[in-house]
mmCIF file of all heavy atoms in Angstrom:
data_model
loop_
_atom_site.group_PDB
_atom_site.id
_atom_site.type_symbol
_atom_site.label_atom_id
_atom_site.label_comp_id
_atom_site.label_asym_id
_atom_site.label_seq_id
_atom_site.Cartn_x
_atom_site.Cartn_y
_atom_site.Cartn_z
ATOM 1 N N TRP D 16 160.619 97.016 94.811
ATOM 2 C CA TRP D 16 161.241 96.333 96.049
ATOM 3 C C TRP D 16 160.438 95.248 96.498
ATOM 4 O O TRP D 16 159.262 95.309 96.665
ATOM 5 C CB TRP D 16 161.306 97.469 97.064
ATOM 6 C CG TRP D 16 162.307 98.606 96.834
ATOM 7 C CD1 TRP D 16 162.108 99.778 96.256
ATOM 8 C CD2 TRP D 16 163.664 98.590 97.064
ATOM 9 N NE1 TRP D 16 163.340 100.544 96.217
ATOM 10 C CE2 TRP D 16 164.331 99.766 96.657
ATOM 11 C CE3 TRP D 16 164.606 97.608 97.618
ATOM 12 C CZ2 TRP D 16 165.629 100.061 96.807
ATOM 13 C CZ3 TRP D 16 165.833 97.832 97.693
ATOM 14 C CH2 TRP D 16 166.430 99.043 97.379
ATOM 15 N N TYR D 17 161.206 94.233 96.729
ATOM 16 C CA TYR D 17 160.648 92.956 97.315
ATOM 17 C C TYR D 17 161.354 92.723 98.629
ATOM 18 O O TYR D 17 162.413 93.180 98.825
ATOM 19 C CB TYR D 17 160.821 91.767 96.269
ATOM 20 C CG TYR D 17 159.927 91.817 95.034
ATOM 21 C CD1 TYR D 17 160.323 92.780 94.126
ATOM 22 C CD2 TYR D 17 158.858 91.064 95.015
ATOM 23 C CE1 TYR D 17 159.487 92.849 92.984
ATOM 24 C CE2 TYR D 17 158.145 91.023 93.801
ATOM 25 C CZ TYR D 17 158.480 91.972 92.856
ATOM 26 O OH TYR D 17 157.692 92.052 91.605
ATOM 27 N N ARG D 18 160.798 91.846 99.443
ATOM 28 C CA ARG D 18 161.428 91.514 100.698
ATOM 29 C C ARG D 18 161.196 90.041 101.038
ATOM 30 O O ARG D 18 160.178 89.376 100.572
ATOM 31 C CB ARG D 18 160.978 92.347 101.876
ATOM 32 C CG ARG D 18 159.645 92.392 102.285
ATOM 33 C CD ARG D 18 159.280 93.229 103.347
ATOM 34 N NE ARG D 18 157.884 93.158 103.829
ATOM 35 C CZ ARG D 18 157.324 94.059 104.590
ATOM 36 N NH1 ARG D 18 157.969 95.052 105.038
ATOM 37 N NH2 ARG D 18 156.091 93.931 104.877
ATOM 38 N N GLN D 19 162.086 89.346 101.728
ATOM 39 C CA GLN D 19 161.869 88.003 102.196
ATOM 40 C C GLN D 19 162.341 87.844 103.558
ATOM 41 O O GLN D 19 163.563 88.086 103.976
ATOM 42 C CB GLN D 19 162.704 87.063 101.329
ATOM 43 C CG GLN D 19 162.422 85.571 101.643
ATOM 44 C CD GLN D 19 163.069 84.737 100.422
ATOM 45 O OE1 GLN D 19 163.900 85.087 99.719
ATOM 46 N NE2 GLN D 19 162.450 83.593 100.457
ATOM 47 N N ALA D 20 161.434 87.561 104.444
ATOM 48 C CA ALA D 20 161.799 87.369 105.880
ATOM 49 C C ALA D 20 162.084 85.833 106.145
ATOM 50 O O ALA D 20 161.559 85.007 105.398
ATOM 51 C CB ALA D 20 160.554 87.791 106.707
ATOM 52 N N PRO D 21 162.742 85.593 107.179
ATOM 53 C CA PRO D 21 163.111 84.138 107.550
ATOM 54 C C PRO D 21 161.821 83.245 107.530
ATOM 55 O O PRO D 21 160.812 83.625 108.293
ATOM 56 C CB PRO D 21 163.673 84.213 108.877
ATOM 57 C CG PRO D 21 164.301 85.607 108.910
ATOM 58 C CD PRO D 21 163.332 86.508 108.190
ATOM 59 N N GLY D 22 161.850 82.185 106.850
ATOM 60 C CA GLY D 22 160.770 81.257 106.727
ATOM 61 C C GLY D 22 159.575 81.668 105.906
ATOM 62 O O GLY D 22 158.559 80.990 105.903
ATOM 63 N N LYS D 23 159.690 82.685 105.197
ATOM 64 C CA LYS D 23 158.587 83.238 104.319
ATOM 65 C C LYS D 23 159.036 83.450 102.954
ATOM 66 O O LYS D 23 160.199 83.426 102.591
ATOM 67 C CB LYS D 23 158.100 84.506 104.916
ATOM 68 C CG LYS D 23 157.453 84.548 106.425
ATOM 69 C CD LYS D 23 156.908 85.876 106.797
ATOM 70 C CE LYS D 23 156.205 85.802 108.084
ATOM 71 N NZ LYS D 23 155.681 87.055 108.499
ATOM 72 N N GLN D 24 158.092 83.465 102.038
ATOM 73 C CA GLN D 24 158.403 83.617 100.581
ATOM 74 C C GLN D 24 158.547 85.091 100.331
ATOM 75 O O GLN D 24 158.213 85.987 101.118
ATOM 76 C CB GLN D 24 157.122 83.165 99.772
ATOM 77 C CG GLN D 24 155.875 83.845 100.026
ATOM 78 C CD GLN D 24 154.654 83.439 99.217
ATOM 79 O OE1 GLN D 24 154.671 82.263 98.936
ATOM 80 N NE2 GLN D 24 153.806 84.277 98.766
ATOM 81 N N ARG D 25 159.229 85.301 99.212
ATOM 82 C CA ARG D 25 159.575 86.729 98.779
ATOM 83 C C ARG D 25 158.202 87.411 98.420
ATOM 84 O O ARG D 25 157.486 86.828 97.620
ATOM 85 C CB ARG D 25 160.535 86.809 97.678
ATOM 86 C CG ARG D 25 161.079 88.017 97.267
ATOM 87 C CD ARG D 25 162.140 87.918 96.270
ATOM 88 N NE ARG D 25 163.244 87.279 96.705
ATOM 89 C CZ ARG D 25 164.444 87.188 95.973
ATOM 90 N NH1 ARG D 25 164.654 87.720 94.835
ATOM 91 N NH2 ARG D 25 165.504 86.452 96.587
ATOM 92 N N GLU D 26 158.066 88.507 98.833
ATOM 93 C CA GLU D 26 156.777 89.319 98.479
ATOM 94 C C GLU D 26 157.100 90.708 98.017
ATOM 95 O O GLU D 26 158.239 91.224 98.343
ATOM 96 C CB GLU D 26 155.958 89.392 99.774
ATOM 97 C CG GLU D 26 156.551 90.222 100.904
ATOM 98 C CD GLU D 26 155.728 90.286 102.203
ATOM 99 O OE1 GLU D 26 154.767 89.590 102.227
ATOM 100 O OE2 GLU D 26 156.143 90.982 103.085
ATOM 101 N N LEU D 27 156.153 91.212 97.161
ATOM 102 C CA LEU D 27 156.272 92.578 96.725
ATOM 103 C C LEU D 27 155.921 93.561 97.804
ATOM 104 O O LEU D 27 155.007 93.511 98.509
ATOM 105 C CB LEU D 27 155.288 92.768 95.516
ATOM 106 C CG LEU D 27 155.210 94.210 94.953
ATOM 107 C CD1 LEU D 27 156.367 94.479 94.251
ATOM 108 C CD2 LEU D 27 153.952 94.293 94.016
ATOM 109 N N VAL D 28 156.854 94.564 97.919
ATOM 110 C CA VAL D 28 156.615 95.695 98.900
ATOM 111 C C VAL D 28 156.127 96.922 98.215
ATOM 112 O O VAL D 28 155.130 97.479 98.610
ATOM 113 C CB VAL D 28 158.010 96.054 99.600
ATOM 114 C CG1 VAL D 28 157.864 97.163 100.466
ATOM 115 C CG2 VAL D 28 158.688 94.960 100.358
ATOM 116 N N ALA D 29 156.781 97.284 97.107
ATOM 117 C CA ALA D 29 156.293 98.540 96.338
ATOM 118 C C ALA D 29 156.821 98.326 94.859
ATOM 119 O O ALA D 29 157.837 97.686 94.597
ATOM 120 C CB ALA D 29 156.827 99.713 96.993
ATOM 121 N N ARG D 30 156.137 99.063 94.005
ATOM 122 C CA ARG D 30 156.482 98.933 92.571
ATOM 123 C C ARG D 30 156.132 100.304 92.041
ATOM 124 O O ARG D 30 155.202 100.837 92.206
ATOM 125 C CB ARG D 30 155.813 97.919 91.927
ATOM 126 C CG ARG D 30 156.371 97.470 90.442
ATOM 127 C CD ARG D 30 155.773 96.124 89.940
ATOM 128 N NE ARG D 30 156.516 95.745 88.711
ATOM 129 C CZ ARG D 30 157.666 95.021 88.735
ATOM 130 N NH1 ARG D 30 158.181 94.814 89.878
ATOM 131 N NH2 ARG D 30 158.111 94.699 87.524
ATOM 132 N N ILE D 31 157.054 100.741 91.011
ATOM 133 C CA ILE D 31 156.966 101.975 90.345
ATOM 134 C C ILE D 31 157.027 101.693 88.807
ATOM 135 O O ILE D 31 158.127 101.170 88.354
ATOM 136 C CB ILE D 31 157.724 103.027 90.916
ATOM 137 C CG1 ILE D 31 157.451 104.432 90.258
ATOM 138 C CG2 ILE D 31 159.285 102.778 90.765
ATOM 139 C CD1 ILE D 31 158.033 105.656 90.937
ATOM 140 N N THR D 32 156.174 102.151 87.994
ATOM 141 C CA THR D 32 156.247 101.960 86.629
ATOM 142 C C THR D 32 157.228 102.958 86.004
ATOM 143 O O THR D 32 157.589 104.019 86.648
ATOM 144 C CB THR D 32 154.871 102.105 85.944
ATOM 145 O OG1 THR D 32 154.307 103.520 85.955
ATOM 146 C CG2 THR D 32 153.802 101.198 86.643
ATOM 147 N N SER D 33 157.404 102.839 84.684
ATOM 148 C CA SER D 33 158.448 103.704 84.034
ATOM 149 C C SER D 33 157.696 105.144 83.894
ATOM 150 O O SER D 33 158.347 106.102 83.762
ATOM 151 C CB SER D 33 158.637 103.200 82.538
ATOM 152 O OG SER D 33 157.481 102.958 81.821
ATOM 153 N N GLY D 34 156.421 105.272 84.014
ATOM 154 C CA GLY D 34 155.657 106.445 83.924
ATOM 155 C C GLY D 34 155.495 107.090 85.349
ATOM 156 O O GLY D 34 155.049 108.130 85.377
ATOM 157 N N GLY D 35 155.936 106.486 86.419
ATOM 158 C CA GLY D 35 155.895 106.990 87.738
ATOM 159 C C GLY D 35 154.797 106.718 88.610
ATOM 160 O O GLY D 35 154.622 107.209 89.633
ATOM 161 N N THR D 36 153.990 105.674 88.188
ATOM 162 C CA THR D 36 152.832 105.242 88.971
ATOM 163 C C THR D 36 153.299 104.199 89.984
ATOM 164 O O THR D 36 153.902 103.132 89.630
ATOM 165 C CB THR D 36 151.696 104.621 88.139
ATOM 166 O OG1 THR D 36 151.322 105.650 87.137
ATOM 167 C CG2 THR D 36 150.605 104.045 88.912
ATOM 168 N N ALA D 37 152.977 104.519 91.201
ATOM 169 C CA ALA D 37 153.451 103.546 92.225
ATOM 170 C C ALA D 37 152.305 102.690 92.931
ATOM 171 O O ALA D 37 151.041 103.320 93.058
ATOM 172 C CB ALA D 37 154.099 104.349 93.474
ATOM 173 N N ILE D 38 152.587 101.569 93.335
ATOM 174 C CA ILE D 38 151.676 100.663 94.101
ATOM 175 C C ILE D 38 152.463 100.123 95.313
ATOM 176 O O ILE D 38 153.610 99.972 95.213
ATOM 177 C CB ILE D 38 151.097 99.504 93.186
ATOM 178 C CG1 ILE D 38 152.065 98.730 92.650
ATOM 179 C CG2 ILE D 38 150.140 100.189 92.197
ATOM 180 C CD1 ILE D 38 152.310 97.508 93.538
ATOM 181 N N TYR D 39 151.604 99.802 96.319
ATOM 182 C CA TYR D 39 152.271 99.456 97.618
ATOM 183 C C TYR D 39 151.516 98.186 98.203
ATOM 184 O O TYR D 39 150.275 98.035 98.000
ATOM 185 C CB TYR D 39 152.221 100.464 98.662
ATOM 186 C CG TYR D 39 152.983 101.727 98.241
ATOM 187 C CD1 TYR D 39 152.368 102.739 97.535
ATOM 188 C CD2 TYR D 39 154.367 101.838 98.586
ATOM 189 C CE1 TYR D 39 153.051 103.932 97.258
ATOM 190 C CE2 TYR D 39 155.101 102.764 98.138
ATOM 191 C CZ TYR D 39 154.426 103.972 97.584
ATOM 192 O OH TYR D 39 155.260 105.132 97.226
ATOM 193 N N GLN D 40 152.207 97.321 98.932
ATOM 194 C CA GLN D 40 151.600 96.362 99.719
ATOM 195 C C GLN D 40 150.771 96.950 100.698
ATOM 196 O O GLN D 40 151.220 98.011 101.335
ATOM 197 C CB GLN D 40 152.642 95.391 100.261
ATOM 198 C CG GLN D 40 152.138 94.283 101.145
ATOM 199 C CD GLN D 40 153.085 93.629 101.882
ATOM 200 O OE1 GLN D 40 153.201 93.799 103.212
ATOM 201 N NE2 GLN D 40 154.101 92.791 101.202
ATOM 202 N N ASP D 41 149.604 96.456 101.031
ATOM 203 C CA ASP D 41 148.704 97.109 102.020
ATOM 204 C C ASP D 41 149.401 97.383 103.385
ATOM 205 O O ASP D 41 149.113 98.567 104.036
ATOM 206 C CB ASP D 41 147.458 96.333 102.352
ATOM 207 C CG ASP D 41 146.510 96.401 101.151
ATOM 208 O OD1 ASP D 41 146.553 97.241 100.291
ATOM 209 O OD2 ASP D 41 145.650 95.466 101.149
ATOM 210 N N SER D 42 150.299 96.535 103.923
ATOM 211 C CA SER D 42 150.954 96.584 105.154
ATOM 212 C C SER D 42 151.878 97.816 105.309
ATOM 213 O O SER D 42 152.302 98.167 106.312
ATOM 214 C CB SER D 42 151.567 95.312 105.469
ATOM 215 O OG SER D 42 152.657 94.955 104.701
ATOM 216 N N VAL D 43 152.311 98.419 104.107
ATOM 217 C CA VAL D 43 153.215 99.399 104.191
ATOM 218 C C VAL D 43 152.617 100.741 103.681
ATOM 219 O O VAL D 43 153.377 101.809 103.696
ATOM 220 C CB VAL D 43 154.480 99.045 103.345
ATOM 221 C CG1 VAL D 43 155.144 97.779 103.850
ATOM 222 C CG2 VAL D 43 154.370 99.140 101.883
ATOM 223 N N LYS D 44 151.376 100.744 103.149
ATOM 224 C CA LYS D 44 150.856 101.969 102.678
ATOM 225 C C LYS D 44 150.798 103.085 103.845
ATOM 226 O O LYS D 44 150.403 102.757 104.873
ATOM 227 C CB LYS D 44 149.372 101.744 102.313
ATOM 228 C CG LYS D 44 149.289 100.916 100.875
ATOM 229 C CD LYS D 44 147.844 100.778 100.403
ATOM 230 C CE LYS D 44 147.763 100.085 99.163
ATOM 231 N NZ LYS D 44 146.372 99.840 98.774
ATOM 232 N N GLY D 45 151.203 104.227 103.453
ATOM 233 C CA GLY D 45 151.192 105.216 104.371
ATOM 234 C C GLY D 45 152.565 105.446 105.178
ATOM 235 O O GLY D 45 152.819 106.468 105.836
ATOM 236 N N ARG D 46 153.440 104.392 105.069
ATOM 237 C CA ARG D 46 154.699 104.272 105.743
ATOM 238 C C ARG D 46 155.848 104.283 104.821
ATOM 239 O O ARG D 46 156.930 104.837 105.231
ATOM 240 C CB ARG D 46 154.784 103.045 106.598
ATOM 241 C CG ARG D 46 153.678 103.068 107.752
ATOM 242 C CD ARG D 46 153.998 101.961 108.696
ATOM 243 N NE ARG D 46 153.925 100.582 108.176
ATOM 244 C CZ ARG D 46 154.914 99.765 108.140
ATOM 245 N NH1 ARG D 46 156.165 100.065 108.680
ATOM 246 N NH2 ARG D 46 154.973 98.615 107.530
ATOM 247 N N PHE D 47 155.772 103.540 103.765
ATOM 248 C CA PHE D 47 156.755 103.537 102.670
ATOM 249 C C PHE D 47 156.545 104.365 101.479
ATOM 250 O O PHE D 47 155.385 104.467 101.055
ATOM 251 C CB PHE D 47 157.009 102.077 102.237
ATOM 252 C CG PHE D 47 157.579 101.215 103.371
ATOM 253 C CD1 PHE D 47 157.658 101.612 104.642
ATOM 254 C CD2 PHE D 47 158.005 99.938 103.114
ATOM 255 C CE1 PHE D 47 158.255 100.644 105.658
ATOM 256 C CE2 PHE D 47 158.549 98.921 104.018
ATOM 257 C CZ PHE D 47 158.522 99.387 105.314
ATOM 258 N N THR D 48 157.516 104.859 100.910
ATOM 259 C CA THR D 48 157.412 105.604 99.609
ATOM 260 C C THR D 48 158.526 105.218 98.627
ATOM 261 O O THR D 48 159.754 105.246 98.898
ATOM 262 C CB THR D 48 157.515 107.050 99.843
ATOM 263 O OG1 THR D 48 156.504 107.554 100.855
ATOM 264 C CG2 THR D 48 157.264 107.955 98.587
ATOM 265 N N ILE D 49 158.096 104.698 97.499
ATOM 266 C CA ILE D 49 159.051 104.424 96.475
ATOM 267 C C ILE D 49 159.234 105.495 95.460
ATOM 268 O O ILE D 49 158.264 106.229 95.145
ATOM 269 C CB ILE D 49 158.731 103.135 95.687
ATOM 270 C CG1 ILE D 49 159.660 102.492 94.731
ATOM 271 C CG2 ILE D 49 157.261 103.309 94.979
ATOM 272 C CD1 ILE D 49 159.416 101.240 94.213
ATOM 273 N N SER D 50 160.313 105.773 95.026
ATOM 274 C CA SER D 50 160.652 106.808 94.028
ATOM 275 C C SER D 50 161.709 106.499 93.177
ATOM 276 O O SER D 50 162.470 105.530 93.472
ATOM 277 C CB SER D 50 160.917 108.259 94.828
ATOM 278 O OG SER D 50 162.024 108.066 95.559
ATOM 279 N N ARG D 51 161.927 107.203 92.057
ATOM 280 C CA ARG D 51 163.022 106.958 91.156
ATOM 281 C C ARG D 51 163.592 108.210 90.588
ATOM 282 O O ARG D 51 162.856 109.237 90.462
ATOM 283 C CB ARG D 51 162.547 105.984 90.074
ATOM 284 C CG ARG D 51 161.306 106.659 89.132
ATOM 285 C CD ARG D 51 160.799 105.558 88.236
ATOM 286 N NE ARG D 51 161.617 104.999 87.382
ATOM 287 C CZ ARG D 51 161.418 103.953 86.549
ATOM 288 N NH1 ARG D 51 160.190 103.162 86.844
ATOM 289 N NH2 ARG D 51 162.270 103.416 85.696
#
């Protein structure tokens, strides 16, 4: 999941590999959860 706010570049929010390993942008850690 990526996001783009007005006037800003697109940035990575969270990513999950085919094996289920997830990583998060620091600003959303503990608040957002990616799943598949």
Side-chain angles (χ1 to χ4, degrees):
W16 287 96
Y17 292 72
R18 67 186 180 187
Q19 186 166 23
K23 297 184 178 180
Q24 65 182 29
R25 188 174 298 185
E26 63 181 7
L27 174 68
V28 178
R30 193 168 189 82
I31 185 167
T32 69
S33 60
T36 301
I38 60 97
Y39 300 90
Q40 182 191 109
D41 285 344
S42 66
V43 307
K44 287 182 178 178
R46 300 190 298 120
F47 291 11
T48 302
I49 187 171
S50 61
R51 60 195 296 166

